[in-house]
Amino acid sequence: MRFLDFIRQQGYRPYHGTVSAAVYAYLHCETPAKARWFHRPGSYQCAGCAQQCETDSSDGFQHFLLTDHSDD
């Protein structure tokens, strides 16, 4: 099963908000331009590279854009 299919089955939806550079620094991300974030209540998951970083902190994530407008 593809990772994107798996996280969607787990209730994650595409996250369309802005992510602060501090999030990438905290996660030691080497390729923030490839980031592809998904969200579900209490968790943010990146599917942009093989590291598949996840955080439960909303610090650095734009809070008012958490609704999904497409099935990306």
Side-chain angles (χ1 to χ4, degrees):
M1 175 184 300
R2 290 180 3 160
F3 182 67
L4 288 178
D5 294 334
F6 173 75
I7 62 174
R8 285 183 175 134
Q9 286 180 355
Q10 298 300 309
Y12 285 87
R13 297 291 172 243
Y15 175 80
H16 301 290
T18 302
V19 180
S20 168
V23 172
Y24 299 110
Y26 174 76
L27 296 172
H28 306 289
C29 180
E30 296 178 7
T31 55
K34 291 184 175 183
R36 188 167 178 200
W37 287 99
F38 290 80
H39 174 265
R40 73 175 182 189
S43 182
Y44 295 86
Q45 174 77 54
C46 185
C49 73
Q51 296 299 319
Q52 300 171 346
C53 295
E54 182 178 10
T55 181
D56 60 356
S57 174
S58 62
D59 292 346
F61 289 87
Q62 191 173 18
H63 294 280
F64 56 89
L65 292 176
L66 295 178
T67 58
D68 179 20
H69 295 286
S70 68
D71 288 329
D72 293 345

Coordinates of all heavy atoms in Angstrom, one line a residue:
M1 N 0.9 -1.2 0.0 CA 0.0 0.0 0.0 C 0.9 1.2 0.0 O 1.9 1.3 0.7 CB -0.9 0.0 1.3 CG -1.7 1.2 1.4 SD -2.7 1.3 2.9 CE -3.7 -0.1 2.8
R2 N 0.5 2.2 -0.8 CA 1.3 3.4 -0.9 C 1.1 4.2 0.4 O 0.0 4.2 1.1 CB 0.8 4.3 -2.0 CG 1.2 3.8 -3.4 CD 0.6 4.7 -4.5 NE 0.0 5.9 -4.0 CZ -0.2 7.0 -4.6 NH1 0.2 7.0 -5.9 NH2 -0.8 8.0 -4.1
F3 N 2.1 5.0 0.8 CA 2.0 5.7 2.1 C 0.9 6.7 2.1 O 0.2 6.9 3.1 CB 3.4 6.4 2.3 CG 3.4 7.2 3.6 CD1 3.3 6.5 4.8 CD2 3.5 8.6 3.6 CE1 3.3 7.2 6.0 CE2 3.5 9.3 4.8 CZ 3.4 8.6 6.0
L4 N 0.7 7.4 0.9 CA -0.4 8.4 0.9 C -1.8 7.7 1.1 O -2.6 8.3 1.7 CB -0.4 9.2 -0.5 CG 0.8 10.2 -0.6 CD1 0.7 10.8 -2.0 CD2 0.7 11.2 0.5
D5 N -1.9 6.6 0.5 CA -3.2 5.8 0.7 C -3.4 5.5 2.2 O -4.4 5.6 2.7 CB -3.2 4.6 -0.2 CG -3.3 4.9 -1.7 OD1 -3.7 6.0 -2.0 OD2 -2.8 4.0 -2.4
F6 N -2.3 5.0 2.8 CA -2.3 4.7 4.2 C -2.7 5.8 5.1 O -3.6 5.7 5.9 CB -1.0 4.1 4.6 CG -0.9 3.8 6.1 CD1 -1.5 2.7 6.7 CD2 -0.2 4.7 6.9 CE1 -1.5 2.5 8.0 CE2 -0.1 4.4 8.3 CZ -0.8 3.3 8.8
I7 N -2.0 7.0 4.9 CA -2.4 8.1 5.8 C -3.8 8.6 5.6 O -4.4 9.1 6.5 CB -1.3 9.2 5.8 CG1 -1.2 9.9 4.4 CG2 0.0 8.7 6.3 CD1 -0.3 11.1 4.4
R8 N -4.2 8.6 4.3 CA -5.6 9.0 4.1 C -6.6 8.0 4.8 O -7.6 8.5 5.3 CB -5.9 9.0 2.6 CG -5.3 10.2 1.9 CD -5.6 10.3 0.5 NE -5.1 11.5 -0.1 CZ -4.5 11.6 -1.2 NH1 -4.3 10.5 -2.0 NH2 -4.0 12.8 -1.7
Q9 N -6.3 6.7 4.8 CA -7.1 5.8 5.5 C -7.1 6.0 7.0 O -8.1 5.7 7.7 CB -6.7 4.3 5.2 CG -7.1 3.9 3.8 CD -6.6 2.4 3.6 OE1 -5.9 1.8 4.4 NE2 -7.0 1.9 2.4
Q10 N -6.0 6.6 7.5 CA -5.9 6.9 8.9 C -6.6 8.2 9.3 O -6.5 8.7 10.4 CB -4.4 7.0 9.3 CG -3.7 5.7 9.1 CD -4.3 4.6 9.9 OE1 -4.5 4.7 11.1 NE2 -4.6 3.4 9.3
G11 N -7.2 8.9 8.3 CA -8.0 10.1 8.6 C -7.2 11.4 8.3 O -7.8 12.5 8.6
Y12 N -6.1 11.3 7.7 CA -5.3 12.6 7.4 C -5.9 13.2 6.1 O -6.3 12.5 5.2 CB -3.9 12.2 7.1 CG -3.1 12.0 8.4 CD1 -3.0 10.7 8.9 CD2 -2.4 13.0 9.0 CE1 -2.2 10.5 10.1 CE2 -1.6 12.8 10.1 CZ -1.6 11.5 10.7 OH -0.9 11.3 11.8
R13 N -5.9 14.5 6.1 CA -6.4 15.3 4.9 C -5.3 16.2 4.5 O -4.5 16.7 5.4 CB -7.7 16.1 5.3 CG -8.8 15.2 5.7 CD -9.3 14.4 4.4 NE -10.3 13.4 4.8 CZ -10.1 12.1 4.6 NH1 -9.0 11.6 4.1 NH2 -11.0 11.2 4.9
P14 N -5.2 16.6 3.3 CA -4.2 17.6 2.8 C -4.3 18.9 3.6 O -5.3 19.4 4.0 CB -4.6 17.8 1.4 CG -5.3 16.6 0.9 CD -6.1 16.2 2.1
Y15 N -3.1 19.4 4.0 CA -3.0 20.6 4.7 C -2.5 21.7 3.8 O -1.5 21.5 3.1 CB -1.9 20.4 5.9 CG -1.7 21.7 6.6 CD1 -2.5 22.1 7.6 CD2 -0.6 22.4 6.3 CE1 -2.3 23.3 8.3 CE2 -0.3 23.6 7.0 CZ -1.2 24.0 8.0 OH -1.0 25.2 8.6
H16 N -3.3 22.7 3.7 CA -3.0 23.8 2.7 C -2.5 25.1 3.3 O -2.3 26.0 2.6 CB -4.3 24.1 1.9 CG -4.8 22.9 1.2 ND1 -4.1 22.3 0.1 CD2 -5.9 22.1 1.4 CE1 -4.8 21.2 -0.3 NE2 -5.9 21.1 0.4
G17 N -2.2 25.1 4.6 CA -1.7 26.3 5.2 C -0.2 26.5 5.1 O 0.5 25.6 4.6
T18 N 0.3 27.6 5.6 CA 1.7 27.9 5.7 C 2.4 27.2 6.8 O 1.8 27.1 7.9 CB 1.9 29.4 5.8 OG1 1.2 30.1 4.7 CG2 3.3 29.8 5.8
V19 N 3.6 26.7 6.6 CA 4.4 26.0 7.6 C 5.6 26.8 7.8 O 6.3 27.2 6.8 CB 4.7 24.6 7.2 CG1 5.6 23.9 8.2 CG2 3.5 23.8 6.9
S20 N 5.9 27.2 9.0 CA 7.1 28.0 9.4 C 8.4 27.3 9.1 O 8.5 26.0 9.3 CB 7.0 28.4 10.9 OG 8.2 28.9 11.3
A21 N 9.4 28.0 8.8 CA 10.7 27.5 8.6 C 11.2 26.8 9.9 O 12.0 25.9 9.8 CB 11.7 28.5 8.1
A22 N 10.7 27.2 11.0 CA 11.1 26.7 12.3 C 10.7 25.2 12.4 O 11.4 24.4 13.0 CB 10.5 27.5 13.5
V23 N 9.6 24.8 11.8 CA 9.2 23.4 11.8 C 10.2 22.6 11.1 O 10.6 21.5 11.5 CB 7.8 23.3 11.1 CG1 7.4 21.8 11.0 CG2 6.7 24.0 11.9
Y24 N 10.7 23.0 9.9 CA 11.6 22.3 9.1 C 13.0 22.2 9.9 O 13.7 21.2 9.8 CB 11.8 22.9 7.7 CG 10.5 22.9 7.0 CD1 9.8 24.0 6.7 CD2 10.0 21.7 6.5 CE1 8.6 24.0 6.0 CE2 8.8 21.6 5.8 CZ 8.1 22.8 5.6 OH 6.9 22.8 4.9
A25 N 13.4 23.3 10.5 CA 14.6 23.3 11.3 C 14.5 22.2 12.5 O 15.4 21.5 12.7 CB 14.9 24.7 11.8
Y26 N 13.4 22.2 13.1 CA 13.2 21.3 14.3 C 13.2 19.9 13.8 O 13.8 19.0 14.5 CB 11.8 21.6 14.9 CG 11.4 20.6 16.0 CD1 12.0 20.6 17.2 CD2 10.5 19.6 15.7 CE1 11.7 19.7 18.2 CE2 10.1 18.7 16.7 CZ 10.8 18.7 17.9 OH 10.4 17.8 18.9
L27 N 12.7 19.6 12.6 CA 12.6 18.2 12.1 C 13.9 17.9 11.3 O 14.0 16.8 10.8 CB 11.4 18.1 11.1 CG 10.1 18.2 11.8 CD1 8.9 18.2 10.8 CD2 9.8 17.0 12.8
H28 N 14.9 18.8 11.2 CA 16.1 18.6 10.5 C 15.8 18.3 9.0 O 16.5 17.4 8.5 CB 17.0 17.6 11.1 CG 17.3 17.8 12.6 ND1 18.1 18.9 13.0 CD2 16.8 17.3 13.7 CE1 18.1 18.9 14.3 NE2 17.4 17.9 14.8
C29 N 14.9 18.9 8.4 CA 14.4 18.7 7.1 C 15.5 19.2 6.1 O 15.8 20.4 6.1 CB 13.1 19.3 6.8 SG 12.5 19.0 5.1
E30 N 16.0 18.4 5.2 CA 16.9 18.8 4.2 C 16.3 19.3 2.9 O 16.9 19.9 2.1 CB 17.9 17.6 3.9 CG 18.7 17.2 5.1 CD 19.6 16.1 4.8 OE1 19.7 15.6 3.7 OE2 20.3 15.6 5.8
T31 N 15.0 19.0 2.7 CA 14.3 19.3 1.5 C 12.9 19.9 1.7 O 11.9 19.3 1.3 CB 14.2 18.1 0.6 OG1 13.5 17.0 1.3 CG2 15.5 17.6 0.1
P32 N 12.8 21.0 2.4 CA 11.5 21.6 2.7 C 10.7 22.0 1.5 O 9.5 22.0 1.5 CB 11.8 22.8 3.6 CG 13.3 23.1 3.4 CD 13.9 21.8 3.0
A33 N 11.3 22.2 0.4 CA 10.6 22.5 -0.9 C 9.8 21.3 -1.3 O 8.8 21.5 -2.1 CB 11.6 22.9 -2.0
K34 N 10.1 20.1 -0.9 CA 9.4 18.9 -1.3 C 8.3 18.6 -0.3 O 7.5 17.6 -0.6 CB 10.3 17.7 -1.4 CG 11.3 17.8 -2.6 CD 12.1 16.5 -2.6 CE 13.0 16.5 -3.8 NZ 13.7 15.2 -3.9
A35 N 8.2 19.3 0.7 CA 7.2 19.0 1.8 C 5.8 18.9 1.2 O 5.3 19.7 0.4 CB 7.2 20.0 2.9
R36 N 5.1 17.9 1.7 CA 3.6 17.7 1.4 C 3.0 17.3 2.7 O 3.0 16.1 3.1 CB 3.5 16.7 0.3 CG 2.1 16.5 -0.2 CD 2.1 15.7 -1.5 NE 0.7 15.6 -1.9 CZ 0.2 14.7 -2.7 NH1 1.1 13.8 -3.2 NH2 -1.0 14.6 -3.0
W37 N 2.3 18.3 3.3 CA 1.8 18.1 4.6 C 0.3 17.6 4.6 O -0.5 18.0 3.8 CB 1.8 19.4 5.4 CG 3.2 19.7 5.9 CD1 4.1 20.5 5.3 CD2 3.9 19.1 7.0 NE1 5.3 20.5 5.9 CE2 5.2 19.7 7.0 CE3 3.6 18.2 7.9 CZ2 6.2 19.3 7.9 CZ3 4.6 17.8 8.9 CH2 5.8 18.4 8.9
F38 N 0.0 16.7 5.6 CA -1.3 16.2 5.8 C -1.7 16.4 7.3 O -0.7 16.5 8.1 CB -1.4 14.8 5.4 CG -1.3 14.5 4.0 CD1 -0.1 14.5 3.3 CD2 -2.5 14.3 3.2 CE1 0.0 14.3 2.0 CE2 -2.4 14.2 1.8 CZ -1.2 14.2 1.2
H39 N -2.9 16.5 7.6 CA -3.4 16.9 9.0 C -4.5 16.0 9.4 O -5.4 15.7 8.6 CB -3.7 18.3 9.1 CG -4.3 18.7 10.4 ND1 -5.7 18.7 10.6 CD2 -3.7 19.0 11.6 CE1 -5.9 19.1 11.9 NE2 -4.7 19.3 12.5
R40 N -4.6 15.7 10.6 CA -5.8 15.1 11.3 C -5.7 15.7 12.7 O -4.6 16.1 13.1 CB -5.8 13.6 11.3 CG -4.9 12.9 12.2 CD -5.1 11.4 12.2 NE -4.2 10.8 13.1 CZ -4.1 9.5 13.2 NH1 -4.7 8.7 12.4 NH2 -3.2 9.0 14.1
P41 N -6.8 15.8 13.4 CA -6.7 16.4 14.7 C -5.6 15.8 15.6 O -5.5 14.6 15.8 CB -8.1 16.1 15.3 CG -9.0 16.0 14.1 CD -8.1 15.3 13.0
G42 N -4.7 16.7 16.0 CA -3.6 16.3 16.9 C -2.4 15.8 16.2 O -1.4 15.4 16.9
S43 N -2.3 15.9 14.9 CA -1.1 15.3 14.2 C -1.0 16.0 12.8 O -1.9 16.2 12.1 CB -1.3 13.8 14.1 OG -0.1 13.3 13.4
Y44 N 0.3 16.2 12.5 CA 0.7 16.7 11.2 C 1.7 15.7 10.6 O 2.7 15.4 11.3 CB 1.3 18.1 11.3 CG 0.4 19.2 11.8 CD1 0.2 19.4 13.1 CD2 -0.3 20.0 10.9 CE1 -0.7 20.4 13.6 CE2 -1.2 20.9 11.3 CZ -1.4 21.1 12.7 OH -2.2 22.1 13.1
Q45 N 1.5 15.3 9.4 CA 2.3 14.3 8.8 C 2.8 14.8 7.4 O 2.0 15.3 6.6 CB 1.5 13.0 8.5 CG 2.2 11.9 7.8 CD 3.1 11.2 8.6 OE1 2.8 10.7 9.7 NE2 4.4 11.1 8.2
C46 N 4.1 14.7 7.2 CA 4.7 15.1 5.9 C 4.9 13.9 5.1 O 5.5 12.9 5.6 CB 6.0 15.9 6.1 SG 6.7 16.5 4.6
A47 N 4.6 13.9 3.8 CA 4.8 12.8 2.9 C 5.7 13.3 1.7 O 5.6 12.8 0.6 CB 3.5 12.3 2.4
G48 N 6.5 14.3 2.0 CA 7.3 14.9 0.9 C 8.6 14.1 0.6 O 9.2 14.2 -0.5
C49 N 9.1 13.2 1.5 CA 10.3 12.4 1.2 C 10.2 11.2 2.0 O 9.2 10.9 2.7 CB 11.5 13.2 1.6 SG 11.8 13.4 3.3
A50 N 11.2 10.4 2.0 CA 11.2 9.1 2.6 C 11.2 9.2 4.2 O 10.9 8.2 4.8 CB 12.4 8.2 2.2
Q51 N 11.6 10.3 4.7 CA 11.6 10.5 6.2 C 10.2 10.4 6.8 O 10.1 10.1 8.0 CB 12.3 11.8 6.6 CG 13.8 11.8 6.2 CD 14.6 10.7 6.8 OE1 14.4 10.4 8.0 NE2 15.4 10.1 6.0
Q52 N 9.2 10.9 6.1 CA 7.8 10.8 6.5 C 7.7 11.4 7.9 O 7.1 10.8 8.8 CB 7.3 9.4 6.4 CG 7.3 8.9 5.0 CD 7.0 7.4 5.0 OE1 6.9 6.7 5.9 NE2 6.7 7.0 3.7
C53 N 8.2 12.6 8.1 CA 8.1 13.3 9.4 C 6.7 13.5 10.0 O 5.8 13.7 9.2 CB 8.9 14.6 9.4 SG 10.6 14.4 9.0
E54 N 6.6 13.4 11.3 CA 5.3 13.6 11.9 C 5.5 14.4 13.2 O 6.5 14.3 13.9 CB 4.6 12.3 12.2 CG 3.3 12.4 12.9 CD 2.6 11.1 13.1 OE1 3.3 10.0 13.0 OE2 1.4 11.1 13.5
T55 N 4.6 15.3 13.5 CA 4.6 16.0 14.7 C 3.2 16.2 15.3 O 2.2 16.3 14.5 CB 5.3 17.4 14.6 OG1 5.3 18.1 15.8 CG2 4.6 18.3 13.6
D56 N 3.1 16.3 16.6 CA 1.8 16.5 17.2 C 1.7 17.9 17.7 O 0.7 18.3 18.2 CB 1.6 15.5 18.4 CG 2.6 15.6 19.5 OD1 3.6 16.4 19.3 OD2 2.5 14.9 20.5
S57 N 2.7 18.7 17.5 CA 2.7 20.1 17.8 C 2.2 21.0 16.7 O 2.6 20.8 15.5 CB 4.1 20.6 18.2 OG 4.1 22.0 18.4
S58 N 1.2 21.9 17.0 CA 0.7 22.8 16.0 C 1.5 24.0 15.8 O 1.3 24.9 15.0 CB -0.7 23.1 16.3 OG -0.8 23.8 17.5
D59 N 2.6 24.2 16.6 CA 3.5 25.3 16.6 C 4.1 25.4 15.2 O 4.7 24.4 14.7 CB 4.6 25.3 17.6 CG 4.1 25.4 19.0 OD1 2.9 25.8 19.2 OD2 4.9 25.1 19.9
G60 N 4.0 26.5 14.5 CA 4.5 26.8 13.2 C 3.6 26.4 12.1 O 4.0 26.6 10.9
F61 N 2.4 25.9 12.4 CA 1.4 25.6 11.3 C 0.3 26.7 11.4 O -0.2 27.0 12.4 CB 0.8 24.3 11.6 CG 1.8 23.1 11.3 CD1 2.6 22.7 12.3 CD2 1.8 22.5 10.0 CE1 3.5 21.6 12.0 CE2 2.7 21.5 9.8 CZ 3.5 21.1 10.8
Q62 N -0.1 27.2 10.2 CA -1.1 28.2 10.1 C -2.4 27.5 10.5 O -2.9 26.6 9.9 CB -1.2 28.7 8.7 CG -2.0 29.9 8.5 CD -1.9 30.4 7.1 OE1 -1.5 29.7 6.2 NE2 -2.3 31.6 6.9
H63 N -3.1 28.0 11.6 CA -4.2 27.4 12.2 C -5.5 27.6 11.5 O -6.4 26.7 11.6 CB -4.4 27.9 13.6 CG -3.3 27.5 14.5 ND1 -3.2 26.2 15.0 CD2 -2.2 28.2 14.9 CE1 -2.1 26.1 15.7 NE2 -1.4 27.3 15.7
F64 N -5.7 28.6 10.7 CA -7.1 28.8 10.2 C -7.3 28.3 8.8 O -8.3 28.5 8.2 CB -7.4 30.3 10.1 CG -6.4 31.2 9.4 CD1 -6.5 31.4 8.0 CD2 -5.3 31.7 10.0 CE1 -5.6 32.1 7.3 CE2 -4.3 32.5 9.4 CZ -4.5 32.7 8.0
L65 N -6.4 27.4 8.3 CA -6.6 26.8 6.9 C -6.6 25.3 7.0 O -6.1 24.6 6.2 CB -5.5 27.3 6.0 CG -5.5 28.7 5.6 CD1 -4.3 29.0 4.7 CD2 -6.7 29.1 4.9
L66 N -7.2 24.8 8.0 CA -7.2 23.3 8.2 C -8.2 22.5 7.5 O -8.3 21.3 7.5 CB -7.3 23.0 9.7 CG -6.1 23.5 10.6 CD1 -6.4 23.2 12.0 CD2 -4.8 22.9 10.1
T67 N -9.1 23.2 6.7 CA -10.1 22.5 6.0 C -9.6 22.0 4.6 O -8.7 22.6 4.0 CB -11.3 23.4 5.7 OG1 -10.9 24.5 5.0 CG2 -12.0 23.8 7.0
D68 N -10.1 20.9 4.2 CA -9.6 20.3 2.9 C -10.5 20.8 1.8 O -11.8 20.6 1.9 CB -9.7 18.7 3.1 CG -9.3 18.0 1.8 OD1 -8.6 18.6 1.0 OD2 -9.7 16.9 1.7
H69 N -10.0 21.3 0.8 CA -10.7 21.8 -0.4 C -10.6 20.9 -1.6 O -11.2 21.2 -2.6 CB -10.3 23.2 -0.7 CG -10.5 24.2 0.3 ND1 -11.8 24.7 0.6 CD2 -9.7 24.8 1.2 CE1 -11.7 25.5 1.6 NE2 -10.5 25.6 2.0
S70 N -9.9 19.8 -1.5 CA -9.7 18.9 -2.6 C -9.2 17.6 -2.1 O -8.9 17.4 -1.0 CB -8.7 19.5 -3.6 OG -7.4 19.5 -3.1
D71 N -9.2 16.6 -3.0 CA -8.6 15.3 -2.7 C -7.3 15.1 -3.3 O -7.0 14.2 -4.0 CB -9.6 14.2 -3.2 CG -10.8 14.2 -2.3 OD1 -10.8 14.5 -1.1 OD2 -11.9 13.8 -2.9
D72 N -6.4 16.0 -3.0 CA -5.0 16.0 -3.6 C -4.3 14.7 -3.3 O -4.2 14.2 -2.3 CB -4.1 17.1 -3.0 CG -4.6 18.5 -3.4 OD1 -5.4 18.6 -4.3 OD2 -4.2 19.5 -2.8

